[in-house]
Amino acid sequence: MKAGYTYIMSNKGRTTFYIGVTSNIERRVYQHKNHINEGFTDKYNCTDLVYFIEFWEISTAIQREKQLKNWHRQWKIDLIKEKNPEMKDIAADWVYDPDAPYK
């Protein structure tokens, strides 16, 4: 089985949140930060990673993503603040090489 991540991206003002799932968190955050793909995060400038959790199986990450998408806004904020009280960009100093071989 392949591992997976459920994550939350936000804009600088923390007024908009995007919940997603991926098997490679570093690559996906790089894509969001560099506006590689058009879509919600690009439109609303959600470039800051404020929360993520790793699961042993991608299917569990997908289930969690679907669950969080149905949550009220305040519940999402409370979840983020449990692990990231200041809601900082936890990937601000991550370095990802898009030319490196895919893992």
Side-chain angles (χ1 to χ4, degrees):
M1 291 287 162
K2 191 171 196 173
Y5 300 85
T6 302
Y7 65 94
I8 302 176
M9 301 294 294
S10 185
N11 61 346
K12 298 291 181 201
R14 304 298 182 255
T15 57
T16 305
F17 297 100
Y18 171 80
I19 299 170
V21 67
T22 185
S23 62
N24 185 324
I25 191 72
E26 293 91 358
R27 179 186 59 184
R28 193 68 179 115
V29 169
Y30 174 86
Q31 292 170 341
H32 287 304
K33 287 184 174 291
N34 291 281
H35 304 274
I36 303 293
N37 303 314
E38 291 183 13
F40 185 91
T41 57
D42 183 50
K43 180 178 179 180
Y44 294 99
N45 205 29
C46 294
T47 59
D48 293 356
L49 178 68
V50 292
Y51 174 88
F52 75 94
I53 186 169
E54 182 177 14
F55 294 94
W56 287 102
E57 296 179 12
I58 191 76
S59 60
T60 308
I62 293 168
Q63 288 175 342
R64 183 62 168 163
E65 175 198 31
K66 290 178 181 179
Q67 181 185 46
L68 293 179
K69 284 185 174 186
N70 287 317
W71 279 22
H72 297 283
R73 176 183 174 78
Q74 189 60 50
W75 297 355
K76 295 172 192 174
I77 291 170
D78 292 344
L79 176 68
I80 295 164
K81 286 186 173 184
E82 281 179 23
K83 291 191 177 188
N84 185 3
E86 296 179 24
M87 296 179 71
K88 291 183 178 180
D89 179 7
I90 55 180
D93 61 353
W94 289 11
V95 177
Y96 175 75
D97 180 359
D99 297 323
Y102 179 69
K103 303 183 211 177

